[in-house]
Every structure is written in C-alpha cells, then in structure tokens.
C-alpha cells in the first residue's frame, strides 16, 4: 500500500470514509515525512504539532459518530505563512513579524477549520511573498524536492515543496504575480490562481492588494478544485470579494476538450525559454488538438510589457501596505531615543533587502513629479492588457503557455540580479494584471529530471472552462514521476 503521505486528497478522503485510515494516521504520515525531509528541504516555518493533533482527533471523533464536514474533514494541509492564524505565529518569513501571533483567523483559515481540515503548519515564503525562489526568506531558503541544489520557485515555495515531498497532502499559497503557479511548475504539482475576488483576502497579509489572490497547490487538478471550492465565496470582510455565485467547475472535469478553442500565446515563447519547456508546451498543444480542441496562435502585444507594469504597480502598493510595520503594532521593535528613531531602526533591521528595495521603488514611482510617468503609465498598460485579453477571449475559450520559462534553477543563480529574478514571472504576471484565473499543471521532466509546468488561462469567472482544459492536460500528460529524495526516504519508512 502506498504511503499515506503520498495520497491525493480525494483518495485520502475515500480511505477516511471507509475507515481504512483515520485523520490521526494521515497526520502521522505527513509528520513522519516531514521528520525525514525537513532538515534538507525546510518547507515549514512552523509545524503546529499540538493544534494539528487536536484537529485530527476531533475529526476522528466526528467520524466515529458518522459525521463529516465535507471533503477536507481530517485532511492534513499546509498554509503559506502569510495567512493569519489565531494564536499561531504568522511571520511572512520576515524578521519584522517575528513573534507576531494574530488575534484572529483569516477567512480562508476559518473556512478550512469549519470544514474540519487539519492544519499541519505554516510554510516558508519569500519575505512578504516578494520573490520567485523562496531565497528571500529571513529564515533561510526552501529547497526543491526534485533536486535540493535547486530552488522550489516562489514565493509559495514552502507550500509547493511540501506538497511535492509529502509533508502535506495539499496546501494553500498566494499569487500576486505568479507565486502559486511558478513554484507549482518548478515542483511538479498543480497550482491554481482563481479569478480575483473569488477567494477572500481577509487576513492574508497584504502585499499588492489589487493583485493578491489565494489559491491551492495540490497533486491533482481535482484536488485543486476541491480546495478552491472549500474556501471560495463572498466575504463581507473583504471589500473586493466577488458578491455573485462561484462558478461551478466540477462537472467540466470529465467533459474533454472537443471543439474547445485554445489560443497559444505567441509572446510567451522564444528568447529566454528553455528548449525543453518549449518542446513540452508544443507537445501538449498538439495532444490537445488531437483530442479535438481547435488550436490557433494568438498575439497579445501588451503581454510583452506586462512585467514592467507589474514591477511598478506592485511596489507602489507595497510602499503603502508595508507602512503599517512601524514597531508599534506588530512583531519586532528596536528601541530608539524618539518615536521616529524607533520606527526607522525597526524597519531598517526588520525588513530584508528585497522588501526594502520594493518600498523604495514604490515610493519613488508614486512621488510627485514621477507619479504619472511611472505609476500612471503602468496603470494604462494594465488597462490595455485587460482590453486585449477581453478581445482575445471573444475568439478563444482559453489561452495556453508555459507556466515558467525555465525549470528550477540553482540556489544563488539569480540572487545577485533582481531583474533576472523578476523575469522568471513573465508567463504568470499577465493573469494577475487582468485578475483572470490561471492554473499550472505538470506535463513532463527536462533532461535533468526537473518538472515542467503548462499554464492554462481563462477569462474572468471562466473557471469551468479552465478546469475542463486542465483536467484534459492532466489526463494527456500522465505525470506520475516522483522526486528521488522520496525514493531515498522510502527506504527508511
Ligand atoms: N515573484 C513575483 C514578485 O516577486 C510574484 C510574487 C507573488 O506572486 N507573490 O513580486
């Protein structure tokens, strides 16, 4: 029998339902896996042994009375450490929040607890989710389970690596410019960013509020949908929460892609794309066509300048959102003679280099005299991109591209060159600018045995179409590879 730590959420749910496994067994399996892999991978900032144990016992107790709160009841999940969790340290992998214990649960966490999920712990991220490799964490990097010399991607690298390594059955992350999809691609798991507004941001520590969106990282497309369904839906505590009904995507998992119009994005190919990534993308497109999809190449000229717009708007919002970390209200305080000195010292010591860089860039972009040339211009690009996308979605049902131009790169390869790091988000950022849904599905390995992710993008609220195509991609790819580290750990299981 397969190790319980390697099950999908769906299969684990069946085992729970038949009594073949208990929530405590599932938790034991992922904790055991963590004990074998954490020293090397460092997926977690905090493992909540006591809280998780209690939640698993409560779930088993419910089940012994033939009660269940749904598909996540008793399932061990991991959460990126930028979700507020009541009483449990929430750091955003920043020194400035060290010791901060939120007095409340974020809406997503509250919904997961209501659904009986077992929250194993909080996963590592780039500080305040700014980065693409998880190397910007104040607590040290996470490593990629497929090759510990490589990064797991970021910023939700801890969540992606935990799902790939088996120290959680699935996880949640946040995606501002690609932080769910890119690490999912680099770690060989599924990562889904929903339409902006479908999942409440209440209690997600704000990075760039007009882009931030919460979503799942999972081992299958169906699991990703299950996690999304568990947390999606209107929340009066988030002013940007979508008040309508959440699109129903479950039935489309089985319908195939016959006559679905698929557009391959011309701008997301060419220079900077690894040949293995391009080949895997083209191969999947050919397979989709053979399965009945109508494929065409489409051009979205503003995709080529989306990255520049993002790196003005996101830092601008950072400069406002991170102003709250002043040494008075949260986490770290470094004392000084005056209040100003205390705040300046706290911020100088508490923020790492990337957070500092973004605050400075954003403050500059918003300053009088530069506002229109930088921030204003970037917002115009954003509007142009939204219009281009709306037009293209008149002609095609979904867009496809690589999820990342490269597979996992080596630790340290891009840390000295912020621009090179920013360029890794080139495929994922357009969907954030437009607030549209997008998903990455693993489709193969490169010659070094590293996973390749395929991205499907849909129109706003087009989750049904998105999952329809994603499910077919998953069936065609039959990606059933496993990281070697698990084979090694397997000897000790
Ligand atoms: N890597 C991008 C950035 O650094 C995206 C991060 C994210 O999506 N949180 O801003």
């Amino acid at each position: 029998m397969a190790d319980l730590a390697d099950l999908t959420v769906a299969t684990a749910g069946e085992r729970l339902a038949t009594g073949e496994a208990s929530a405590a067994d599932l938790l034991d399996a992922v904790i055991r896996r963590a004990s074998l892999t954490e020293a090397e991978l460092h997926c977690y900032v905090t493992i909540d042994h006591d809280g998780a144990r209690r939640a698993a016992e409560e779930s088993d107790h419910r089940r012994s009375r033939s009660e269940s709160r749904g598909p996540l009841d008793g399932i061990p999940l991991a959460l990126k450490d930028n979700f507020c969790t009541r009483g449990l340290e929430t750091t955003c992998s920043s020194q400035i929040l060290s010791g901060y214990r939120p007095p409340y649960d974020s809406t997503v966490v509250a919904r997961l607890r209501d659904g009986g999920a077992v929250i194993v712990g909080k996963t590592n991220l780039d500080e305040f989710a700014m980065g693409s490799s998880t190397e910007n964490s104040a607590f040290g990097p996470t490593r990629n389970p497929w090759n510990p010399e490589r990064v797991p991607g970021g910023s939700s690298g801890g969540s992606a690596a935990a799902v790939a390594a088996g120290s959680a059955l699935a996880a949640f992350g946040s995606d501002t410019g690609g932080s769910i999809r890119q690490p999912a691609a680099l770690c060989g798991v599924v990562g889904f960013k929903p339409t902006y507004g479908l999942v409440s941001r209440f209690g997600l520590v704000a990075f760039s509020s007009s882009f931030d969106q919460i979503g799942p990282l999972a081992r299958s497309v169906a699991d990703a949908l299950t996690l999304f369904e568990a947390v999606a839906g209107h929340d009066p505590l988030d002013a940007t929460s979508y008040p309508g009904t959440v699109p129903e995507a479950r039935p489309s998992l089985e319908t195939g892609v016959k006559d679905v119009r698929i557009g391959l994005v011309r701008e997301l190919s060419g220079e900077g794309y690894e040949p293995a990534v391009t080949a895997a993308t083209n191969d999947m497109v050919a397979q989709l066509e053979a399965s009945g999809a109508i494929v065409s190449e489409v051009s979205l000229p503003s995709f080529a300048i989306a990255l520049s717009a993002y790196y003005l708007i996101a830092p601008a919002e950072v400069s406002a959102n991170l102003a709250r970390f002043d040494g008075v209200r949260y986490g770290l305080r470094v004392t000084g003679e005056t209040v100003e000195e205390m705040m300046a010292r706290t911020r100088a010591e508490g923020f790492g280099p990337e957070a500092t860089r973004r605050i400075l860039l954003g403050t500059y972009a918003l300053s009088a005299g530069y506002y229109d040339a930088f921030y204003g211009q970037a917002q115009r690009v954003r509007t142009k991109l939204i219009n281009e996308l709306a037009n293209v979605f008149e002609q095609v049902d979904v867009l496809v591209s690589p999820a990342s131009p490269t597979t996992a790169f080596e630790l340290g390869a891009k840390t000295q060159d912020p621009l090179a790091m920013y360029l890794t988000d080139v495929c994922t950022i357009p969907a954030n600018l437009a607030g549209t849904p997008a998903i990455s599905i693993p489709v193969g390995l490169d010659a070094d045995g590293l996973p390749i992710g395929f991205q499907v993008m849909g129109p706003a609220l087009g989750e049904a179409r998105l999952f329809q195509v994603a499910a077919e991609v998953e069936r065609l790819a039959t990606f059933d590879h496993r990281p070697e580290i698990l084979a090694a750990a397997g000897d000790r299981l």
Side-chain angles (χ1 to χ4, degrees):
M1 187 171 91
D3 190 292
L4 294 176
D6 296 317
L7 298 181
T8 59
V9 171
T11 310
E14 285 164 19
R15 300 269 174 95
L16 287 170
T18 59
E20 275 170 87
S22 66
D25 295 336
L26 293 173
L27 179 63
D28 285 344
V30 297
I31 293 284
R32 187 176 161 76
R33 183 64 61 81
S35 71
L36 292 169
T37 55
E38 272 301 281
E40 183 155 37
L41 300 180
H42 186 218
C43 303
Y44 285 95
V45 174
T46 305
I47 294 186
D48 184 17
H49 289 278
D50 295 344
R53 182 67 49 200
R54 249 188 336 267
E57 280 166 7
E58 282 166 17
S59 173
D60 284 333
H61 190 60
R62 273 193 295 280
R63 217 168 283 268
S64 71
R65 302 190 306 259
S66 301
E67 289 168 23
S68 167
R69 293 189 181 172
L72 296 184
D73 200 342
I75 303 292
L77 302 178
L79 300 177
K80 188 174 182 177
D81 202 20
N82 58 352
F83 292 68
C84 285
T85 41
R86 188 156 66 94
L88 184 63
E89 196 173 355
T90 298
T91 68
C92 292
S93 290
S94 178
Q95 292 294 359
I96 210 158
L97 275 176
S98 64
Y100 173 58
R101 288 172 197 277
Y104 68 104
D105 275 333
S106 57
T107 295
V108 162
V109 172
R111 290 185 182 179
L112 290 172
R113 290 198 204 282
D114 285 348
V118 174
I119 295 169
V120 181
K122 309 291 291 291
T123 56
N124 199 17
L125 63 149
D126 288 295
E127 184 175 6
F128 287 106
M130 298 172 202
S132 313
S133 67
T134 317
E135 290 166 296
N136 293 340
S137 167
F139 309 126
T142 295
R143 287 166 183 272
N144 192 317
W146 294 82
N147 179 345
E149 300 303 311
R150 306 275 174 151
V151 302
S155 63
S156 312
S159 285
V163 176
S167 46
L169 297 197
F172 279 91
S174 62
D175 191 313
T176 305
S179 280
I180 292 173
R181 290 161 286 156
Q182 187 258 17
L186 272 49
C187 288
V189 301
V190 175
F192 168 51
K193 181 196 91 74
T195 299
Y196 184 83
L198 284 182
V199 179
S200 169
R201 293 183 297 107
F202 179 74
L204 172 73
V205 179
F207 162 8
S208 181
S209 313
S210 75
F211 298 133
D212 297 341
Q213 186 58 204
I214 291 171
L217 296 104
R219 296 192 181 130
S220 73
V221 170
D223 278 6
L225 181 57
T226 301
L227 264 68
F228 164 68
E229 289 170 340
V231 300
H234 184 245
D235 177 12
L237 297 174
D238 172 0
T240 59
S241 169
Y242 176 66
T245 1
V246 177
E248 170 62 83
R250 180 77 47 188
S252 44
L253 289 179
E254 303 302 335
T255 51
V257 290
K258 187 156 173 15
D259 296 332
V260 176
R261 297 166 305 166
I262 295 180
L264 176 63
V265 181
R266 183 178 308 150
E267 283 73 15
L268 301 182
S269 63
E271 198 192 334
Y273 288 77
E274 286 178 356
V277 170
T278 304
T281 307
N282 293 340
D283 184 51
M284 180 48 66
V285 168
Q287 291 191 57
L288 287 166
E289 193 164 25
S291 300
I294 303 159
V295 176
S296 59
E297 196 186 57
V298 297
S299 174
L300 293 113
S302 55
F303 271 35
I305 47 173
L307 192 93
S308 311
Y310 171 86
Y311 276 101
L312 286 164
I313 299 170
E317 295 188 15
V318 162
S319 73
N321 274 330
L322 268 55
R324 77 194 62 181
F325 302 109
D326 54 9
V328 177
R329 287 170 289 182
Y330 311 94
L332 182 77
R333 173 180 299 177
V334 183
T335 51
E337 294 292 309
T338 62
V339 172
E340 284 81 3
E341 196 174 279
M342 179 279 285
M343 288 182 180
R345 284 189 181 167
T346 300
R347 288 171 68 84
E349 202 163 300
F351 289 130
E354 186 59 28
T356 306
R357 179 181 297 117
R358 305 259 182 134
I359 293 168
L360 292 171
L361 281 173
T363 307
Y364 187 77
L366 289 175
S367 58
Y370 294 103
Y371 183 94
D372 197 54
F374 291 132
Y375 184 74
Q377 189 68 3
Q379 290 291 15
R380 282 187 284 276
V381 169
R382 184 177 192 175
T383 303
K384 188 168 178 295
L385 184 140
I386 291 169
N387 293 337
E388 267 176 28
L389 263 180
N391 281 337
V392 105
F393 281 129
E394 303 272 307
Q395 299 151 35
V396 298
D397 299 308
V398 295
L399 294 170
V400 298
S401 74
S404 161
T406 71
T407 56
F409 43 94
E410 283 177 4
L411 269 90
K414 298 183 199 281
T415 40
Q416 299 312 314
D417 184 354
L419 190 58
M421 193 68 93
Y422 297 170
L423 280 167
T424 66
D425 304 320
V426 66
C427 304
T428 47
I429 275 175
N432 299 87
L433 286 178
T436 46
I439 189 167
S440 174
I441 309 110
V443 290
L445 300 178
D446 71 5
D448 294 325
L450 297 167
I452 298 170
F454 182 85
Q455 179 173 236
V456 183
M457 293 174 265
L461 301 174
E463 267 74 6
R465 270 285 195 241
L466 188 92
F467 275 96
Q468 179 183 354
V469 177
E472 185 69 12
V473 169
E474 181 177 56
R475 276 190 290 272
L476 293 168
T478 58
F479 184 91
D480 54 6
H481 310 279
R482 295 186 75 214
E484 243 167 60
I485 189 174
L486 298 187
D491 299 341
R492 287 173 272 154
L493 289 172

